[in-house]
């Protein structure tokens, strides 16, 4: 059922005065997201056409009215022909602890999507920036899951990072003290040289490769066998205890093949971490029981909610302020977090090298994010 609402706007002149106190934020070190080239239109529960209104001329009461008829977690789209609203809207979101999660230009008008309220659960652990490094080795995949955060499919262009860049990244990452490397895609095992890539990464730091586990046969099985067990962990996706839900996202026949991949990787002596992507806490609980029954330890399991990014049409809408940065490198540049590795709002730099400068850019952006929160907090300093 489409629960989207178009609201009858009411005015609230008392709250309107707040607009004057909003400051225009700096860009936090991110590249300006002029156009989100890859994104499909983000679903919103409420569509608010601002017409000619701005924060100085009546938009704020309309916005408050929109939130009043929303529930926490709902998405509200604001559409306007005036792109100048953007910085004020971003500042207002930060001030009110809502999150601006998407910006797109459609036929000359800008559509901002904000999430009402804070992220419903913690989406990142508090690790030092730069301790983890993510590499997107490619974007093509043998599957086309309906929630894939980077829209991978068998037809997606490969956009390979390439062994030469991986070599240099590994050398510089070791110098910078990176403690864990995560190799992901797309499906990394589609690459003919994935063995070489993983060996290079594993020499720099303990490495986890994220895979759907469905390709361990023939020459790819030989590649798997050649990897150093003590330095390489396999993180294999399995979304539910039985095939139905897993296959509703990933396609028919995928559950049994993933399970076989998990068994094979274990038989080959690898540490295997099972990773489930779920829609609700009930699904998460079900999967926990399944893992308990199979004696999968806490450190060998990951259960996360679907993020409203990439191909997903439902899930948790995440803004950069919701995410603790984990430096992520793709062929296109350096990103704030792996969950948005092709989204302009999470792009930090097009330049990967020197890696120290990429790390510094992410840290500077993170510091500015904190500083901005602190400055906003002082506006309502009560004592
Ligand atoms: S979620 Fe993983 S397995 Fe599914 S399409 Fe994306 S990269 Fe491939």
């Amino acid at each position: 059922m489409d629960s989207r609402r178009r609201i009858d706007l009411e005015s609230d002149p008392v709250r309107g005065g707040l607009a004057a106190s909003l400051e225009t934020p700096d860009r936090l070190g991110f590249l300006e997201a002029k156009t989100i080239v890859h994104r499909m239109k983000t679903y919103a529960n409420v569509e608010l056409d601002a017409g000619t209104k701005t924060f100085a001329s009546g938009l704020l009461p309309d916005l408050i009215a929109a939130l009043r008829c929303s529930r926490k977690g709902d998405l509200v789209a604001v559409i306007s022909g005036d792109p100048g609203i953007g910085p004020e809207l971003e500042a207002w979101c930060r001030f009110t602890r809502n999150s601006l999660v998407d910006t797109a230009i459609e036929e000359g008008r800008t559509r901002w999507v904000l999430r009402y309220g804070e992220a419903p659960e913690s989406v990142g652990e508090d690790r030092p920036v730069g301790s983890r490094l993510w590499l997107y080795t490619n974007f093509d995949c043998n599957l086309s899951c309906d929630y894939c955060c980077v829209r991978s499919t068998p037809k997606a262009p490969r956009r390979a990072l390439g062994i030469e860049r991986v070599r240099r990244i590994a050398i510089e990452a070791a110098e910078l003290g990176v403690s864990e490397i995560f190799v992901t895609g797309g499906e990394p095992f589609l690459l003919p040289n994935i063995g070489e890539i993983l060996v290079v990464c594993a020499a720099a730091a303990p490495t986890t490769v994220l895979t759907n586990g469905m390709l361990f046969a023939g020459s790819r099985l030989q590649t798997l066998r050649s990897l150093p067990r003590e330095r390489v962990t396999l993180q294999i996706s399995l979304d539910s205890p039985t095939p139905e839900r897993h296959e509703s996202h990933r396609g028919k026949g995928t559950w049994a093949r993933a399970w076989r991949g998990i068994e094979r990787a274990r038989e080959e002596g690898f540490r295997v971490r099972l990773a489930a992507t779920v829609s609700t806490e009930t699904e998460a609980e079900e999967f926990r029981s399944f893992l308990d029954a199979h004696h999968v330890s806490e450190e060998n399991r990951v259960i996360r909610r679907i993020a409203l990014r990439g191909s997903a049409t439902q899930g948790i809408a995440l803004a950069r302020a919701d995410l603790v940065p984990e430096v992520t490198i793709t062929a296109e540049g350096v990103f704030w977090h792996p969950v948005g590795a092709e989204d302009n709002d999470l792009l930090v730099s097009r330049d990967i090298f020197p890696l120290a400068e990429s790390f510094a850019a992410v840290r500077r952006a993170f510091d500015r994010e904190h500083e901005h929160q602190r400055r906003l907090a002082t506006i309502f300093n009560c004592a």
Side-chain angles (χ1 to χ4, degrees):
M1 186 182 76
D2 187 355
S3 59
R4 193 176 311 219
R5 298 184 288 286
R6 287 184 186 276
I7 57 167
D8 289 329
L9 302 176
E10 58 185 34
S11 74
D12 186 343
V14 177
R15 305 289 289 275
L18 184 61
S21 71
L22 296 177
E23 65 174 312
T24 303
D26 54 35
R27 293 300 307 164
L28 299 170
F30 285 81
L31 301 186
E32 191 76 39
K34 290 192 168 41
T35 318
I36 307 289
V37 279
H38 301 293
R39 305 289 313 265
M40 284 161 53
K41 185 172 175 172
T42 298
Y43 169 86
N45 303 84
V46 176
E47 298 280 335
L48 169 57
D49 192 325
T52 57
K53 291 180 181 174
T54 66
F55 272 86
S57 62
L59 176 59
L60 188 62
D62 293 354
L63 205 44
I64 291 168
L67 294 188
R68 276 185 181 153
C69 66
S70 301
R71 291 177 296 263
K72 289 285 170 76
D74 277 359
L75 300 179
V76 175
V78 179
I79 303 137
S80 171
D82 179 0
I85 289 173
E88 287 185 327
L89 190 59
E90 185 173 354
W92 182 81
C93 283
R94 288 170 184 280
F95 186 74
T96 52
R97 299 204 173 278
N98 301 301
S99 279
L100 191 59
V101 295
D102 192 21
T103 305
I105 297 170
E106 300 168 349
E107 297 171 1
R109 305 188 82 210
T110 308
R111 182 174 180 269
W112 297 272
V113 179
L114 63 98
R115 187 195 62 230
Y116 179 28
E118 296 183 84
E121 61 181 37
S122 170
V123 284
E125 292 173 38
D126 230 346
R127 295 184 192 83
V129 177
S131 60
R132 283 182 160 198
L133 176 62
W134 288 81
L135 305 183
Y136 268 82
T137 49
N138 57 301
F139 283 87
D140 52 331
C141 188
N142 51 319
L143 298 183
S144 39
C145 306
D146 64 4
Y147 58 61
C148 184
C149 66
V150 290
R151 292 185 192 80
S152 290
T153 69
K155 290 187 178 161
R158 175 155 285 181
R159 295 152 61 200
L161 193 52
I163 184 65
E164 291 316 318
R165 272 190 287 210
V166 172
R167 271 190 221 289
R168 184 168 170 192
I169 289 167
I171 291 168
E172 297 186 20
E175 289 166 359
L176 289 165
V178 167
S179 57
E180 289 177 276
I181 296 177
F182 294 80
V183 171
T184 188
E187 171 49 55
F189 280 90
L190 283 178
L191 296 176
N193 62 349
I194 188 61
E196 198 179 353
I197 287 172
L198 290 173
V199 166
V200 163
C201 291
T207 296
T208 296
V209 54
L210 280 65
T211 170
N212 54 44
M214 294 172 55
L215 298 176
F216 303 147
S219 62
R220 291 179 180 124
L221 181 58
Q222 296 311 317
T223 297
L224 182 69
R225 287 180 171 148
S226 71
L227 299 174
R229 275 60 170 175
E230 72 289 356
R231 297 285 279 183
V232 174
T233 297
L234 299 179
Q235 181 168 313
I236 302 182
S237 304
L238 194 75
D239 291 345
S240 54
T242 54
E244 195 181 29
R245 197 167 59 241
H246 177 98
E247 296 188 357
S248 73
H249 293 296
R250 296 178 157 258
K252 200 166 166 42
T254 53
W255 192 94
R257 288 181 65 193
W259 187 251
R260 182 70 197 113
I262 291 164
E263 289 180 325
R264 172 144 280 167
R266 284 180 176 151
E267 286 160 12
E268 293 294 334
F270 286 93
R271 175 182 171 193
V272 176
R273 190 180 298 130
L274 267 64
T277 307
V278 299
S279 302
T280 63
E281 185 47 36
T282 309
E283 291 181 9
E285 201 44 55
E286 243 180 75
F287 200 70
R288 271 184 217 111
S289 303
F290 169 78
L291 296 175
D292 289 343
H294 285 80
H295 308 291
V296 176
S297 61
E298 287 293 332
E299 63 271 21
N300 285 332
R301 54 172 84 175
V302 176
I303 302 176
R304 65 215 159 184
R305 296 282 288 275
I306 294 173
L308 188 58
R309 294 233 166 212
S311 301
T313 54
Q314 295 185 343
I316 298 178
L318 295 169
R320 62 180 180 242
D322 300 320
L323 298 160
V324 176
E326 297 191 12
V327 181
T328 300
I329 297 179
T330 78
E332 277 90 37
V334 181
F335 289 79
W336 179 259
H337 195 276
V339 80
E342 56 171 19
D343 295 340
N344 283 356
D345 63 324
L346 296 185
L347 175 61
V348 179
S349 169
R350 292 274 179 209
D351 299 321
I352 299 171
F353 301 112
L355 202 58
E357 179 47 40
S358 294
F359 279 36
V362 175
R363 285 194 191 100
R364 280 196 301 272
F366 192 43
D367 289 347
R368 278 196 289 269
E369 181 82 45
H370 271 293
E371 173 60 14
H372 199 74
Q373 301 285 8
R374 196 191 60 71
R375 285 209 311 270
L376 287 174
T378 61
I379 293 174
F380 269 163
N381 202 359
C382 297

